[in-house]
Amino acid sequence: MKGPPTSPNHLPSSSNLAFTQFPTDFTQLPTVSFVIPNQEHDMHDGTGRMGDDWLRDNLNAYAVWARAHNSLLIITWDEDDYEGDNRILTVFHGANLRNGTVVEGTWTHHNLLRMLEDMYDLPTHAGAAAQVRPIIGPFASDPVVKRTLFRQGLNSYTNASDTMLWQQHAGTNHARSLNLTVDLDTSTAAGNQVGQALVRFENIIGNSLNQVPQTATIHSAKLLPQTPRNTTGFDFASYDRFRLHRMLIRWDDTDTWSSLVGGVSLNDIEARLSPTVSLVPSVDGGTAIFDVTADIELFGVGTPNRGWVISPPSSSYGDGWTFKSSETPSSLAQRPTLEVLYSLPPNPYERWASALGLTGPDSQPNADPDRDGADNLAEFAYNLDPRLADAHPVTPMGTNGLPAARVVSGALDNLFEVQFLRRKGPSPAGLAYAVEFSGDLMEWSAGQTPVVTSLGEDWESVAVRDVAPNSNLSRFARVSVTLQP
C-alpha cells in the first residue's frame, strides 16, 4: 500500500515549527534545535544589518541564558558568495568556551556535524561526517592545538611531489606540469580515458623544526589543492565526485600511465580500494578540502607514507577537475598544502593546572587567579596553591612558599643567602631555576655551590650564598624560573 505523501521538507509538523513557537522557557527546547531565519533575515536577500538586528531581537535572550546553563549557541551560514575560498563564518557562544579564541585550522560543515554527533556519543555518523573529526579548539577543555603547514617552498620545505597519469597519453610524464587534471574523459574515440593525480608530502613526522612531533596527537589533517579561477571561459571546477585513496606502492613524479602499468589500480595492492575521502570540488578558484586525518595518524605510527592518488568516479558527467601543482611558480599559496593540527602530551605544568581545576585564561602560567601577587608559574615552582592567597616567603624548615633571603654568618664575614623550594627530577618538572646576585641590578653573577636538602619524593630545599661578603654596599638577589618547551 502506498503511504501518505512526504512533506516538502521531509520533516513532520511536530519537528518543523514556526519561530512563533520558540519557547521563552529555554529548558523546553529539544536537545538540539535549528533556527533558520527567512532569506531576508539570513542575509541571503537582506542586508547584514537586517540579519544582525534579527539575531539580537530574537536570540539574545537565549544567548545570555546559554552561558549560565551549560548550553551552546552556534551561528553559521550555509555558503558565501563563491568568491575566494568560500570561507564561512561560524561563531560559538555559550558555556565552557575558550572565550576570545579564533580556532586554528580549516574546518567544514562536516566537522561541525561530527562535533555535534560526538557531543552526544552517537554510535553512527551521517554522510561525510563519518570521514572527518570534530572541531577542536573552542572549548575550555580542549587541548592546546598547534598548526603546521607543508607546502613546496614554504619554510624551506622541499619534499612535496605530485604528477598526473593519463591513459590517453600513456607514455608522457607530467613532473613539471603546472596544472594537474583528474578526469574520466568520455569524449575520446577510444572510450573513457582515465586521468589520475598523485600527491605526496614526505618527512612530515619527526622532531625537527616544522615537523609534526612523533609524540603528537593528530586532531585534523587536510589536503588542500587549489582550483584555478576561471578567467578565460574554461571552468576548472567540477560537479563530479572525486575520490582520494591512500597509495601503497612507491612512485616518482616522473612516472607515467605506462610505467605504473595502466595507471594506479585501486585494489589494496597499489592503492587502497576504499577511498579515504571523496568530495565535489565545485568552487571556482577555491580550495578543495580532503580530510586525511586517518591517514596522517597511520603515517605517525610507522605506516609508509606513499601519499595519495586522486581518481575520478567510474561514471561521470565527463566533468574533469584541475588543480595547481607544486610546480606553480606564480604564488606559493596556490600550491597543494597539507595542514596538520596536533597537540602534544600535557607537560607537568599543564597536568598540575588541570588537576587543580584551572581552565581557560586562569590556567595560563602568567595568570594569578587567587590575586595574591604570585602567578601560576611561581605557585607551581614553589609548592603553592593557585586557588588560595598563600604567597608568603618560605620559612627555614618550610615546605611551601616563595624564595626568602637572609644574612648568614660565614667563615670570614656575613653573607647574603637565598633559600627556595625546587621540584625534583632530571629537569625539575619542566622548570629551570637560576639564582643570581648583583650589587647594582645591572650586572648579575652566580653564587656559591648550592646546598640541597631533600624534602621528600617531589621537593627539595635549595640554599645559595653570595660570593661577595655582606659589607655596607647594597646586594641584591633574584631567583628566575622558566618553563621549558
PDB file of all heavy atoms in Angstrom, residues 19-36:
ATOM      1  N   PHE A  19       8.720  29.930  14.066  1.00  0.00           N
ATOM      2  CA  PHE A  19       9.509  30.554  15.131  1.00  0.00           C
ATOM      3  C   PHE A  19       8.621  31.189  16.198  1.00  0.00           C
ATOM      4  O   PHE A  19       9.068  31.417  17.325  1.00  0.00           O
ATOM      5  CB  PHE A  19      10.463  31.599  14.549  1.00  0.00           C
ATOM      6  CG  PHE A  19      11.454  32.113  15.555  1.00  0.00           C
ATOM      7  CD1 PHE A  19      12.456  31.282  16.045  1.00  0.00           C
ATOM      8  CD2 PHE A  19      11.376  33.408  16.038  1.00  0.00           C
ATOM      9  CE1 PHE A  19      13.358  31.744  16.991  1.00  0.00           C
ATOM     10  CE2 PHE A  19      12.281  33.871  16.981  1.00  0.00           C
ATOM     11  CZ  PHE A  19      13.276  33.039  17.459  1.00  0.00           C
ATOM     12  N   THR A  20       7.373  31.444  15.873  1.00  0.00           N
ATOM     13  CA  THR A  20       6.438  31.958  16.886  1.00  0.00           C
ATOM     14  C   THR A  20       6.249  30.970  18.030  1.00  0.00           C
ATOM     15  O   THR A  20       5.799  31.352  19.109  1.00  0.00           O
ATOM     16  CB  THR A  20       5.079  32.282  16.249  1.00  0.00           C
ATOM     17  OG1 THR A  20       4.611  31.117  15.555  1.00  0.00           O
ATOM     18  CG2 THR A  20       5.197  33.445  15.275  1.00  0.00           C
ATOM     19  N   GLN A  21       6.626  29.699  17.805  1.00  0.00           N
ATOM     20  CA  GLN A  21       6.507  28.678  18.838  1.00  0.00           C
ATOM     21  C   GLN A  21       7.814  28.455  19.600  1.00  0.00           C
ATOM     22  O   GLN A  21       7.893  27.559  20.442  1.00  0.00           O
ATOM     23  CB  GLN A  21       6.041  27.360  18.210  1.00  0.00           C
ATOM     24  CG  GLN A  21       4.637  27.445  17.617  1.00  0.00           C
ATOM     25  CD  GLN A  21       4.250  26.180  16.877  1.00  0.00           C
ATOM     26  OE1 GLN A  21       4.518  26.037  15.690  1.00  0.00           O
ATOM     27  NE2 GLN A  21       3.642  25.247  17.594  1.00  0.00           N
ATOM     28  N   PHE A  22       8.825  29.261  19.308  1.00  0.00           N
ATOM     29  CA  PHE A  22      10.082  29.164  20.043  1.00  0.00           C
ATOM     30  C   PHE A  22       9.805  29.520  21.506  1.00  0.00           C
ATOM     31  O   PHE A  22       9.253  30.587  21.801  1.00  0.00           O
ATOM     32  CB  PHE A  22      11.105  30.130  19.449  1.00  0.00           C
ATOM     33  CG  PHE A  22      12.515  29.883  19.890  1.00  0.00           C
ATOM     34  CD1 PHE A  22      13.265  28.867  19.307  1.00  0.00           C
ATOM     35  CD2 PHE A  22      13.114  30.668  20.866  1.00  0.00           C
ATOM     36  CE1 PHE A  22      14.584  28.639  19.687  1.00  0.00           C
ATOM     37  CE2 PHE A  22      14.429  30.452  21.261  1.00  0.00           C
ATOM     38  CZ  PHE A  22      15.162  29.429  20.671  1.00  0.00           C
ATOM     39  N   PRO A  23      10.166  28.651  22.456  1.00  0.00           N
ATOM     40  CA  PRO A  23       9.756  28.875  23.851  1.00  0.00           C
ATOM     41  C   PRO A  23      10.526  30.013  24.509  1.00  0.00           C
ATOM     42  O   PRO A  23      11.661  30.322  24.148  1.00  0.00           O
ATOM     43  CB  PRO A  23      10.078  27.543  24.519  1.00  0.00           C
ATOM     44  CG  PRO A  23      11.199  26.994  23.722  1.00  0.00           C
ATOM     45  CD  PRO A  23      10.934  27.406  22.303  1.00  0.00           C
ATOM     46  N   THR A  24       9.885  30.644  25.489  1.00  0.00           N
ATOM     47  CA  THR A  24      10.584  31.620  26.323  1.00  0.00           C
ATOM     48  C   THR A  24      11.261  30.924  27.507  1.00  0.00           C
ATOM     49  O   THR A  24      12.196  31.466  28.098  1.00  0.00           O
ATOM     50  CB  THR A  24       9.609  32.685  26.842  1.00  0.00           C
ATOM     51  OG1 THR A  24       8.520  32.030  27.515  1.00  0.00           O
ATOM     52  CG2 THR A  24       9.061  33.514  25.682  1.00  0.00           C
ATOM     53  N   ASP A  25      10.765  29.716  27.856  1.00  0.00           N
ATOM     54  CA  ASP A  25      11.436  28.866  28.837  1.00  0.00           C
ATOM     55  C   ASP A  25      12.360  27.941  28.054  1.00  0.00           C
ATOM     56  O   ASP A  25      11.932  26.941  27.481  1.00  0.00           O
ATOM     57  CB  ASP A  25      10.401  28.058  29.617  1.00  0.00           C
ATOM     58  CG  ASP A  25      11.052  27.099  30.612  1.00  0.00           C
ATOM     59  OD1 ASP A  25      12.309  27.093  30.711  1.00  0.00           O
ATOM     60  OD2 ASP A  25      10.313  26.341  31.273  1.00  0.00           O
ATOM     61  N   PHE A  26      13.649  28.279  28.028  1.00  0.00           N
ATOM     62  CA  PHE A  26      14.565  27.573  27.136  1.00  0.00           C
ATOM     63  C   PHE A  26      14.841  26.148  27.582  1.00  0.00           C
ATOM     64  O   PHE A  26      15.403  25.369  26.814  1.00  0.00           O
ATOM     65  CB  PHE A  26      15.864  28.369  27.019  1.00  0.00           C
ATOM     66  CG  PHE A  26      15.660  29.764  26.496  1.00  0.00           C
ATOM     67  CD1 PHE A  26      16.172  30.861  27.186  1.00  0.00           C
ATOM     68  CD2 PHE A  26      14.922  29.982  25.343  1.00  0.00           C
ATOM     69  CE1 PHE A  26      15.977  32.142  26.716  1.00  0.00           C
ATOM     70  CE2 PHE A  26      14.721  31.266  24.864  1.00  0.00           C
ATOM     71  CZ  PHE A  26      15.242  32.355  25.554  1.00  0.00           C
ATOM     72  N   THR A  27      14.462  25.778  28.792  1.00  0.00           N
ATOM     73  CA  THR A  27      14.597  24.380  29.200  1.00  0.00           C
ATOM     74  C   THR A  27      13.645  23.485  28.421  1.00  0.00           C
ATOM     75  O   THR A  27      13.803  22.256  28.437  1.00  0.00           O
ATOM     76  CB  THR A  27      14.328  24.213  30.707  1.00  0.00           C
ATOM     77  OG1 THR A  27      12.969  24.575  30.997  1.00  0.00           O
ATOM     78  CG2 THR A  27      15.282  25.073  31.528  1.00  0.00           C
ATOM     79  N   GLN A  28      12.657  24.078  27.744  1.00  0.00           N
ATOM     80  CA  GLN A  28      11.691  23.305  26.957  1.00  0.00           C
ATOM     81  C   GLN A  28      12.192  23.016  25.543  1.00  0.00           C
ATOM     82  O   GLN A  28      11.521  22.303  24.781  1.00  0.00           O
ATOM     83  CB  GLN A  28      10.362  24.056  26.891  1.00  0.00           C
ATOM     84  CG  GLN A  28       9.726  24.326  28.244  1.00  0.00           C
ATOM     85  CD  GLN A  28       9.514  23.045  29.029  1.00  0.00           C
ATOM     86  OE1 GLN A  28       8.903  22.093  28.541  1.00  0.00           O
ATOM     87  NE2 GLN A  28      10.026  23.016  30.258  1.00  0.00           N
ATOM     88  N   LEU A  29      13.342  23.573  25.159  1.00  0.00           N
ATOM     89  CA  LEU A  29      13.889  23.306  23.834  1.00  0.00           C
ATOM     90  C   LEU A  29      14.342  21.856  23.714  1.00  0.00           C
ATOM     91  O   LEU A  29      14.772  21.245  24.698  1.00  0.00           O
ATOM     92  CB  LEU A  29      15.082  24.222  23.564  1.00  0.00           C
ATOM     93  CG  LEU A  29      14.778  25.681  23.231  1.00  0.00           C
ATOM     94  CD1 LEU A  29      16.059  26.508  23.315  1.00  0.00           C
ATOM     95  CD2 LEU A  29      14.171  25.787  21.829  1.00  0.00           C
ATOM     96  N   PRO A  30      14.274  21.283  22.515  1.00  0.00           N
ATOM     97  CA  PRO A  30      14.886  19.963  22.305  1.00  0.00           C
ATOM     98  C   PRO A  30      16.394  20.020  22.556  1.00  0.00           C
ATOM     99  O   PRO A  30      16.989  21.099  22.642  1.00  0.00           O
ATOM    100  CB  PRO A  30      14.587  19.676  20.820  1.00  0.00           C
ATOM    101  CG  PRO A  30      13.461  20.584  20.454  1.00  0.00           C
ATOM    102  CD  PRO A  30      13.605  21.800  21.317  1.00  0.00           C
ATOM    103  N   THR A  31      17.020  18.869  22.658  1.00  0.00           N
ATOM    104  CA  THR A  31      18.453  18.817  22.923  1.00  0.00           C
ATOM    105  C   THR A  31      19.234  19.591  21.868  1.00  0.00           C
ATOM    106  O   THR A  31      20.160  20.340  22.176  1.00  0.00           O
ATOM    107  CB  THR A  31      18.931  17.357  22.971  1.00  0.00           C
ATOM    108  OG1 THR A  31      18.202  16.673  23.994  1.00  0.00           O
ATOM    109  CG2 THR A  31      20.420  17.273  23.263  1.00  0.00           C
ATOM    110  N   VAL A  32      18.877  19.406  20.609  1.00  0.00           N
ATOM    111  CA  VAL A  32      19.488  20.145  19.502  1.00  0.00           C
ATOM    112  C   VAL A  32      18.376  20.783  18.685  1.00  0.00           C
ATOM    113  O   VAL A  32      17.439  20.093  18.268  1.00  0.00           O
ATOM    114  CB  VAL A  32      20.345  19.242  18.601  1.00  0.00           C
ATOM    115  CG1 VAL A  32      20.927  20.039  17.425  1.00  0.00           C
ATOM    116  CG2 VAL A  32      21.474  18.589  19.393  1.00  0.00           C
ATOM    117  N   SER A  33      18.457  22.073  18.482  1.00  0.00           N
ATOM    118  CA  SER A  33      17.447  22.806  17.723  1.00  0.00           C
ATOM    119  C   SER A  33      18.121  23.617  16.630  1.00  0.00           C
ATOM    120  O   SER A  33      19.200  24.185  16.840  1.00  0.00           O
ATOM    121  CB  SER A  33      16.660  23.763  18.631  1.00  0.00           C
ATOM    122  OG  SER A  33      16.070  23.077  19.705  1.00  0.00           O
ATOM    123  N   PHE A  34      17.484  23.657  15.465  1.00  0.00           N
ATOM    124  CA  PHE A  34      17.950  24.504  14.367  1.00  0.00           C
ATOM    125  C   PHE A  34      16.979  25.664  14.208  1.00  0.00           C
ATOM    126  O   PHE A  34      15.763  25.450  14.105  1.00  0.00           O
ATOM    127  CB  PHE A  34      18.021  23.712  13.057  1.00  0.00           C
ATOM    128  CG  PHE A  34      19.100  22.673  13.031  1.00  0.00           C
ATOM    129  CD1 PHE A  34      18.874  21.397  13.542  1.00  0.00           C
ATOM    130  CD2 PHE A  34      20.349  22.965  12.509  1.00  0.00           C
ATOM    131  CE1 PHE A  34      19.861  20.436  13.533  1.00  0.00           C
ATOM    132  CE2 PHE A  34      21.351  22.002  12.493  1.00  0.00           C
ATOM    133  CZ  PHE A  34      21.102  20.735  13.009  1.00  0.00           C
ATOM    134  N   VAL A  35      17.505  26.872  14.200  1.00  0.00           N
ATOM    135  CA  VAL A  35      16.707  28.064  13.949  1.00  0.00           C
ATOM    136  C   VAL A  35      17.144  28.605  12.596  1.00  0.00           C
ATOM    137  O   VAL A  35      18.316  28.980  12.418  1.00  0.00           O
ATOM    138  CB  VAL A  35      16.905  29.122  15.049  1.00  0.00           C
ATOM    139  CG1 VAL A  35      16.142  30.396  14.706  1.00  0.00           C
ATOM    140  CG2 VAL A  35      16.461  28.566  16.399  1.00  0.00           C
ATOM    141  N   ILE A  36      16.233  28.650  11.649  1.00  0.00           N
ATOM    142  CA  ILE A  36      16.568  29.043  10.278  1.00  0.00           C
ATOM    143  C   ILE A  36      15.737  30.266   9.906  1.00  0.00           C
ATOM    144  O   ILE A  36      14.537  30.158   9.654  1.00  0.00           O
ATOM    145  CB  ILE A  36      16.298  27.892   9.296  1.00  0.00           C
ATOM    146  CG1 ILE A  36      17.064  26.635   9.751  1.00  0.00           C
ATOM    147  CG2 ILE A  36      16.701  28.294   7.872  1.00  0.00           C
ATOM    148  CD1 ILE A  36      16.753  25.400   8.954  1.00  0.00           C
TER     149      ILE A  36
END
